[in-house]
Amino acid sequence: QEILRLQHIRAIIKDQSSNQSDKDADYMKILFRSKFVLAPRGLGPSSWRLFEIMRAGRVPVIISDAWVPPKGLEWNKFSIHIPEHSINEIPMVLELYEPESEKMGKRARTEWERCFSYSGSFAWMAQRLIEIADASVDINPPNLFNAWREALKGSQVFYFFREQVAVRIGK
């Protein structure tokens, strides 16, 4: 409710928290006309809206105290994180970031393509899983990196990934 009370001469604040889909023409028009799009926490510390905003090449304004950024992205280069107690400051903060909004939006789209798109998500998730495994198992990371790079070259990612997971879980 506090977000819906925000006002700015150039802002459109509309509650799209329910009954919204990619087919909602009004929402899509607003999304693509915007420089910044608010991404308040959902039922958990984040929401799918964050990734939708990145996909659209807009700057996500993440409003959540408990949000933990997924690793492997430089979030501060394409998003803005606002603590929940600072909602009233959003218009002022966005004014400060406006000169960088186009560059940040392009970076958001690039990062979405690299990490969350259909073609990029498998490699990104595999790398995160390997990092998790590496944190708990003592292995030689340079050798693992070289093996991973070779697997990527030879289109053997699935087999490499399956083998690495099997080694780490002891099967």
Side-chain angles (χ1 to χ4, degrees):
Q1 295 304 316
E2 192 174 348
I3 292 170
L4 294 174
R5 288 192 292 268
L6 289 173
Q7 293 185 358
H8 188 277
I9 194 163
R10 293 182 287 136
I12 297 172
I13 306 289
K14 187 175 179 183
D15 184 355
Q16 290 291 140
S17 60
S18 62
N19 297 327
Q20 186 273 321
S21 73
D22 288 343
K23 295 178 180 130
D24 185 340
D26 291 337
Y27 171 72
M28 298 308 286
K29 285 178 188 174
I30 292 169
L31 178 67
F32 286 108
R33 284 187 10 222
S34 300
K35 295 176 183 177
F36 304 98
V37 181
L38 304 183
R41 65 176 295 141
L43 295 175
S46 187
S47 77
W48 58 269
R49 176 107 35 233
L50 170 60
F51 304 99
E52 175 183 75
I53 296 164
M54 291 173 66
R55 183 179 185 187
R58 300 301 180 256
V59 180
V61 180
I62 303 160
I63 306 166
S64 176
D65 292 341
W67 180 71
V68 176
K71 291 185 178 186
L73 292 86
E74 294 180 84
W75 290 93
N76 62 334
K77 292 190 176 183
F78 64 87
S79 68
I80 301 167
H81 186 203
I82 304 284
E84 292 173 31
H85 70 272
S86 299
I87 288 172
N88 293 340
E89 298 173 21
I90 290 173
M92 180 185 66
V93 170
L94 299 187
E95 288 279 351
L96 294 173
Y97 279 95
E98 190 169 13
E100 299 296 315
S101 63
E102 185 175 349
K103 184 169 76 172
M104 291 174 76
K106 287 179 181 176
R107 180 70 183 258
R109 174 61 189 204
T110 298
E111 290 296 277
W112 181 86
E113 286 284 342
R114 184 176 69 84
C115 301
F116 306 117
S117 69
Y118 182 76
S119 62
S121 62
F122 180 81
W124 183 80
M125 285 188 284
Q127 186 59 42
R128 301 292 74 78
L129 288 170
I130 289 170
E131 289 169 5
I132 290 167
D134 287 348
S136 61
V137 177
D138 188 21
I139 61 168
N140 189 342
N143 289 343
L144 179 63
F145 177 76
N146 291 334
W148 176 252
R149 187 172 50 208
E150 290 304 312
L152 287 172
K153 284 182 192 174
S155 298
Q156 298 295 316
V157 175
F158 172 77
Y159 300 105
F160 173 79
F161 181 65
R162 185 175 66 182
E163 177 185 316
Q164 292 301 317
V165 169
V167 166
R168 282 164 179 73
I169 63 173
K171 293 186 178 183

